[in-house]
Amino acid sequence: MAVQDYVGVVALLVSLVALIIAVGQLLQQVFGTAEGYRSCNASVIGPWSKTRHRVLHIGELRMETRFQTPELTLVEDTSDGIETILNDPSITSWREPARAAKKGKSYVYLIDGSQKSLESTYVSDELKAASRIESKTTLPFSEPVSEKVSSFSSEADANNSSKGNPMSMAVGWLTFLQKLHEHEMKYEGLIFDQLPFKDPQSRNMLRTKPAIRRIQRSWDFMPTDAVRPLASTQFGDLLILCYRMRIRWYDLQLGQRRLRAEGFGHSFTLIDVRGLGFVLEYRFGGSNLAAPRNDGNDHAANRHFVPSKPADKLAFGLIPTDDKLVEGHEHLDLGGEDYFTSIVEMHEALGVGPATLEDFHRHQNKPPDEYFHVSNEALYLLAPFIPLHDVGAVKIQPPFRHRFGSICTFREGRLVFHYRLKRLLRSESTHVSTQLQHVYDVLDHLASNVNMREEFRHWQGFKHRTFAKNARNSKTEAKDILTYLHHEFDKTTEYLQKTLPFGCYTDLVASHLEMALKAHKDAKSKEVKKQRIDADADDLTPWMTEAAHLYVDRVESGAKDSVCDSFRKRYEAKRRMKSEKDFSTLDHSTVSDAWWTMMLRSFLWDLSVLPINSPGLPMPSHLYGDTTPVWIA
């Protein structure tokens, strides 16, 4: 080969190398325009890094970084509606949300601690191992699930620290997802083996679960201050999730941009990221949850809030109403800035008469306790059954900012009503209806069973709420107790639906509240030296006992100021206003039976829940369902 040929080959090779270098530099510059791509790698967002990809814009000679992060939400445990609730790990393509959007659907992935849920929400493999251990274990009430999860988390944290795990620099919302899975796993030990009811008869009985939507985002729209991908949610949903996980908000002033929450190792702190609104930085520093007590009185049923919309509303100062009996009020608001004004407005919304409202206004500056005791009764009389049909959890947060209790919860009320009803049934001059006999049978059954069983010996004591609290096994005791209470509660609903025209139940409640306030005041105004009760009970409060007797007196007497008389006046006025001829006539005995049924309803409701006043609760009512977008770093 001639020298010229060698020179030509070398020149060709040099040109080819130069071309490759030039092409490489060009590609490097083009791919280098994909800002944020390295911020979406596995060391930052964990398994969510598989959703990142580049999109070439030829006209702009640049690459765009797209990725997915979760949008946290709460969904009802049902597949009805436009959303498809999935726990299908096979749907892992980042293209799937876009395809679903074109079909008018959105995929929602439940957070429930199951292996499929862990995979579909891109949670790390370590927690999957914990999930497999928990799923094979039967968890009675006396065996705290949190011990296993907490011990696993602590061991994993120690291993991560010792090995220098790169995930220690991951985004906070990835850890928050893991903690949500751990929290939902704790409910698994409370689920009944066989459901006492095939289907919930009301949307109030549906469990709400945390879930995510995979939202595709572009780094082009991230502010310059953002250095890592952010998850999103609505502020109202975040407050509910924190409430269920017992995370307390120490600063909760959204308008003044002051937000801070802490509790059991969790912390949320508001950070300033220009152009993004509210950004909360989440950190978990190890749980400071004390070990469960070993005195036999601490069980899972009373450590976990009931996961439903009605129970959530209670934590915001809202009284949920039973949609089968109450018309026009989805809930009643007690969470306003001026608490006593909210109480007065609640009575006004129920239709309480002007004389009673004026009485409230006169004592607005310094209201006596009876005004609060009477107001409490609206909760027991209007709310739906709170424990769910398939979960043995009974803990709730009362919606009140004052002492929780009334004649419906004090032992004096239970004992007096039981005694007076027994005496009424034995009276030869009184015709006893089938419904009144049934009310007595249920009260007698509760009193007998509570007193007979050693751990439920509190029908006559102050700690009667341990009736539900001390259920040690969700598969047997809690199921039996809650099923009986729920069944009898539903019977009261059916009877009241059949007896009273729809919308008139609130009139009965309003008439009762008017009477109750007068009874409380009369009982306190006179000196009660002797208790009007023949019962084996010690240390009864005289005025409470007298007030309970006055309740019954002013129902059975049929006098001008009685509950029956007040209700019939409201009923007749409503009938004339609607000009309806098909309104049936309600006599005294019918209204009296309805009142006794309503009071039984309040006892059943009270026995089915464990109210615990937690610090920082209830939250302001206007924050319930708040749709303000919040980012989680």
Side-chain angles (χ1 to χ4, degrees):
M1 182 179 293
V3 176
Q4 294 84 355
D5 295 335
Y6 284 110
V7 172
V9 170
V10 171
L12 181 61
L13 292 175
V14 170
S15 300
L16 184 60
V17 171
L19 177 62
I20 293 174
I21 293 174
V23 171
Q25 290 177 340
L26 177 62
L27 292 176
Q28 183 182 21
Q29 290 179 354
V30 172
F31 279 90
T33 60
E35 297 182 7
Y37 191 77
R38 286 180 295 178
S39 298
C40 301
N41 60 29
S43 64
V44 179
I45 60 175
W48 285 83
S49 61
K50 67 180 69 174
T51 66
R52 67 172 178 169
H53 60 283
R54 301 182 182 94
V55 177
L56 175 62
H57 296 279
I58 299 179
E60 301 175 11
L61 288 179
R62 71 178 188 89
M63 303 289 287
E64 175 191 0
T65 300
R66 293 182 182 175
F67 56 95
Q68 290 178 20
T69 60
E71 179 185 67
L72 293 169
T73 185
L74 284 164
V75 295
E76 292 181 338
D77 195 5
T78 174
S79 59
D80 296 338
I82 62 171
E83 295 176 330
T84 302
I85 299 178
L86 297 173
N87 274 339
D88 188 354
S90 64
I91 304 178
T92 57
S93 172
W94 55 266
R95 296 182 178 87
E96 200 62 38
R99 295 170 180 169
K102 292 181 180 179
K103 300 177 182 178
K105 296 182 179 180
S106 62
Y107 287 130
V108 179
Y109 303 87
L110 293 178
I111 298 175
D112 58 14
S114 65
Q115 184 173 353
K116 288 184 177 180
S117 175
L118 290 166
E119 293 176 358
S120 60
T121 55
Y122 297 144
V123 175
S124 62
D125 293 334
E126 285 90 357
L127 198 60
K128 295 178 189 177
S131 175
R132 286 193 290 270
I133 294 174
E134 296 296 338
S135 63
K136 298 177 182 179
T137 307
T138 301
L139 301 171
F141 274 19
S142 56
E143 182 180 5
V145 186
S146 56
E147 284 186 341
K148 294 186 176 181
V149 178
S150 297
S151 62
F152 168 78
S153 300
S154 301
E155 183 179 347
D157 291 341
N159 292 337
N160 290 342
S161 300
S162 62
K163 296 179 182 179
N165 188 357
M167 289 302 294
S168 61
M169 299 302 293
V171 288
W173 54 260
L174 194 60
T175 305
F176 189 53
L177 275 181
Q178 293 181 350
K179 298 305 172 185
L180 283 173
H181 277 287
E182 290 180 12
H183 181 263
E184 290 302 308
M185 286 163 61
K186 297 173 184 178
Y187 282 105
E188 295 304 311
L190 308 181
I191 296 178
F192 300 142
D193 289 333
Q194 294 181 350
L195 302 185
F197 302 95
K198 292 183 179 179
D199 295 300
Q201 300 179 5
S202 170
R203 297 195 73 85
N204 288 322
M205 293 302 297
L206 292 175
R207 177 181 173 184
T208 54
K209 292 183 178 181
I212 67 164
R213 295 184 182 90
R214 300 177 188 166
I215 305 299
Q216 184 165 281
R217 311 184 193 276
S218 171
W219 198 268
D220 287 359
F221 299 99
M222 296 289 287
T224 54
D225 287 355
V227 295
R228 293 184 295 181
L230 303 174
S232 62
T233 185
Q234 293 183 349
F235 192 52
D237 290 341
L238 180 62
L239 291 178
I240 292 175
L241 293 175
C242 290
Y243 144 73
R244 292 184 182 180
M245 298 173 72
R246 294 182 289 177
I247 303 174
R248 178 182 176 183
W249 289 88
Y250 289 89
D251 278 329
L252 192 54
Q253 302 181 45
L254 196 63
Q256 301 180 21
R257 298 185 63 85
R258 293 172 56 187
L259 299 173
R260 182 174 66 90
E262 294 178 2
F264 299 102
H266 308 272
S267 69
F268 282 97
T269 307
L270 185 67
I271 59 177
D272 187 19
V273 179
R274 289 177 295 178
L276 269 184
F278 297 99
V279 181
L280 289 168
E281 184 177 32
Y282 172 79
R283 288 289 180 265
F284 183 76
S287 176
N288 58 2
L289 177 61
R293 300 189 302 271
N294 295 320
D295 58 2
N297 292 322
D298 187 60
H299 308 293
N302 60 71
R303 288 202 303 271
H304 304 296
F305 289 106
V306 179
S308 68
K309 281 186 177 180
D312 293 338
K313 288 181 178 181
L314 294 174
F316 289 83
L318 299 171
I319 296 180
T321 60
D322 194 325
D323 53 8
K324 295 181 180 180
L325 295 175
V326 180
E327 181 183 25
H329 301 288
E330 184 179 350
H331 53 250
L332 297 169
D333 191 348
L334 292 178
E337 293 185 8
D338 189 308
Y339 180 57
F340 196 74
T341 300
S342 298
I343 290 178
V344 176
E345 290 176 349
M346 178 195 71
H347 284 80
E348 187 175 2
L350 290 173
V352 171
T356 305
L357 295 177
E358 290 176 7
D359 197 1
F360 270 90
H361 284 296
R362 281 196 300 269
H363 297 84
Q364 188 164 1
N365 294 329
K366 194 176 180 180
D369 287 343
E370 57 261 26
Y371 289 84
F372 296 116
H373 290 157
V374 171
S375 301
N376 288 350
E377 297 188 9
L379 171 62
Y380 316 118
L381 303 177
L382 295 169
F385 196 79
I386 296 296
L388 298 175
H389 71 291
D390 58 347
V391 181
V394 297
K395 182 179 177 181
I396 63 167
Q397 165 63 41
F400 310 114
R401 302 181 201 172
H402 57 264
R403 182 184 176 189
F404 186 74
S406 76
I407 296 298
C408 297
T409 61
F410 296 145
R411 58 177 183 158
E412 287 81 1
R414 299 192 303 278
L415 292 172
V416 169
F417 287 1
H418 185 213
Y419 166 70
R420 290 291 298 270
L421 196 53
K422 180 194 298 185
R423 195 174 70 178
L424 185 65
L425 295 178
R426 291 178 178 177
S427 174
E428 296 180 358
S429 60
T430 305
H431 171 71
V432 178
S433 65
T434 305
Q435 179 62 18
L436 206 58
Q437 181 67 52
H438 177 73
V439 172
Y440 173 77
D441 290 342
V442 175
L443 288 176
D444 199 54
H445 172 81
L446 291 172
S448 301
N449 279 273
V450 172
N451 287 330
M452 286 171 57
R453 300 180 62 177
E454 181 179 355
E455 64 270 27
F456 299 148
R457 202 165 43 194
H458 296 296
W459 176 262
Q460 296 184 4
F462 289 105
K463 298 180 180 179
H464 69 281
R465 294 191 183 94
T466 53
F467 183 68
K469 174 182 176 181
N470 281 354
R472 287 174 169 77
N473 193 306
S474 66
K475 315 297 183 186
T476 55
E477 293 181 20
K479 178 182 175 182
D480 295 341
I481 293 170
L482 294 177
T483 300
Y484 176 78
L485 295 175
H486 193 179
H487 180 68
E488 293 300 333
F489 189 89
D490 283 347
K491 280 187 176 180
T492 66
T493 303
E494 293 172 4
Y495 176 79
L496 292 169
Q497 279 182 304
K498 181 178 63 176
T499 305
L500 303 177
F502 185 65
C504 290
Y505 178 72
T506 51
D507 296 330
L508 183 61
V509 173
S511 300
H512 169 81
L513 295 177
E514 289 179 355
M515 176 275 296
L517 183 59
K518 294 177 183 177
H520 274 259
K521 294 172 70 175
D522 290 345
K524 283 190 171 183
S525 64
K526 61 181 180 179
E527 185 178 358
V528 183
K529 295 182 178 180
K530 186 177 181 181
Q531 300 166 357
R532 289 195 292 158
I533 182 171
D534 297 328
D536 183 18
D538 300 325
D539 300 326
L540 295 180
T541 304
W543 76 263
M544 290 184 185
T545 306
E546 181 64 22
H549 277 293
L550 291 176
Y551 274 31
V552 181
D553 292 343
R554 294 174 182 180
V555 170
E556 295 302 325
S557 67
K560 189 174 182 180
D561 60 345
S562 67
V563 172
C564 299
D565 180 70
S566 176
F567 171 75
R568 286 205 302 270
K569 289 179 180 178
R570 284 184 167 86
Y571 175 74
E572 293 294 336
K574 183 172 290 187
R575 183 172 67 170
R576 289 193 299 270
M577 183 177 64
K578 292 186 176 182
S579 300
E580 296 183 7
K581 298 180 180 180
D582 57 347
F583 269 59
S584 59
T585 302
L586 298 179
D587 56 16
H588 171 80
S589 61
T590 303
V591 180
S592 175
D593 288 356
W595 181 85
W596 278 106
T597 304
M598 182 176 70
M599 299 313 295
L600 171 63
R601 180 185 179 87
S602 70
F603 293 146
L604 295 169
W605 191 95
D606 179 59
L607 287 171
S608 69
V609 296
L610 178 69
I612 299 292
N613 280 302
S614 303
L617 296 174
M619 292 175 279
S621 58
H622 69 272
L623 294 177
Y624 178 78
D626 191 293
T627 57
T628 302
V630 174
W631 299 90
I632 302 176

